[in-house]
Amino acid sequence: GAPGSGKTTFAQALVDVYVAKNKIIKTIESPRDLMVPEEVVQYSFTYGGHDEVRDILLLSRPDYTIYDEVRNTNDFMLYKDLRLTGIGLVWVIHASNPIDSIQRFVGNIELGIIPQVIDTVIYIEWGIVQEIYTLKLTVKTPSGMMSADLARPVVEVSSFLTDELRYELYSFGEQVVVIPLADIAQQLQN
């Protein structure tokens, strides 16, 4: 969501739920502004860099880590590294719509591993969950293309609630293409 939409408040609520279930929780914040219970350890980049935070989290192996405000390339790389090691990870990122949050990873990490790094996107606006997307990788001919010779790895973005396929991401030449499938369906009807 956008600034002030309730993302950090949602993350704080998740911390409370996990703490109530006796899970080990850590946070990564820059700046540290989450209001969390005492038993939650909060990390920041004030006294250490991304490498030090990565090492500490990999050694301590928390059940869940809340990463508040993924902003720059170092943040994306740290998030990817932690997620691929199996640490439960929730991240907060500014985006004007749900697909934008996924697109911010394009160019920072390889397209083919995006579904392993991001499996679910929860989009919050005005403090309300507006959309939930799930991601998966498949090999197919992208929607709207006719020739089976054009089959390639495709990241499918679907609605969590309806299982409706909403977007496809794939490489075409040197470009990563993001196709909103509602637009293709509308063009086929015309």
Side-chain angles (χ1 to χ4, degrees):
S5 63
K7 301 177 304 296
T8 299
T9 302
F10 183 82
Q12 283 180 204
L14 282 176
V15 169
D16 292 340
V17 168
Y18 293 146
V19 167
K21 293 182 179 208
N22 296 317
K23 301 295 182 185
I24 299 169
I25 311 301
K26 312 277 181 164
T27 69
I28 304 171
E29 306 167 62
S30 186
R32 273 185 41 189
D33 54 348
L34 285 174
M35 304 301 289
V36 297
E38 278 182 19
E39 56 265 36
V40 175
V41 176
Q42 295 175 279
Y43 295 108
S44 175
F45 301 115
T46 305
Y47 298 107
H50 287 76
D51 290 338
E52 288 90 356
V53 170
R54 175 188 303 108
D55 292 346
I56 289 169
L57 288 170
L58 291 176
L59 288 171
S60 62
R61 305 298 283 171
D63 294 314
Y64 296 100
T65 300
I66 307 297
Y67 201 145
D68 193 22
E69 298 297 331
V70 175
R71 291 187 174 114
N72 57 44
T73 300
N74 288 334
D75 291 336
F76 287 106
M77 298 311 290
L78 176 58
Y79 181 87
K80 176 192 78 161
D81 289 350
L82 294 174
R83 186 75 172 105
L84 292 175
T85 61
I87 291 175
L89 201 53
V90 176
W91 55 293
V92 174
I93 190 169
H94 291 289
S96 58
N97 61 58
I99 195 67
D100 285 351
S101 63
I102 299 166
Q103 286 182 277
R104 292 198 53 200
F105 274 84
V106 172
N108 285 300
I109 62 174
E110 298 81 19
L111 183 66
I113 65 168
I114 285 179
Q116 286 74 42
V117 174
I118 309 167
D119 58 3
T120 307
V121 173
I122 300 173
Y123 182 72
I124 298 173
E125 191 172 52
W126 303 106
I128 299 169
V129 173
Q130 298 292 328
E131 186 70 68
I132 304 173
Y133 286 156
T134 58
L135 286 76
K136 76 174 187 175
L137 182 66
T138 188
V139 176
K140 69 176 199 171
T141 303
S143 298
M145 293 185 179
M146 302 304 168
S147 174
D149 293 344
L150 296 173
R152 65 196 66 232
V154 175
V155 175
E156 295 182 332
V157 180
S158 301
S159 168
F160 175 79
L161 298 174
T162 66
D163 208 32
E164 175 189 353
L165 187 59
R166 299 282 176 87
Y167 294 90
E168 291 179 344
L169 289 81
Y170 56 87
S171 294
F172 192 79
E174 298 295 317
Q175 300 295 317
V176 173
V177 179
V178 179
I179 299 294
L181 296 180
D183 290 353
I184 288 179
Q186 185 177 15
Q187 288 175 1
L188 291 174
Q189 288 176 347
N190 294 335

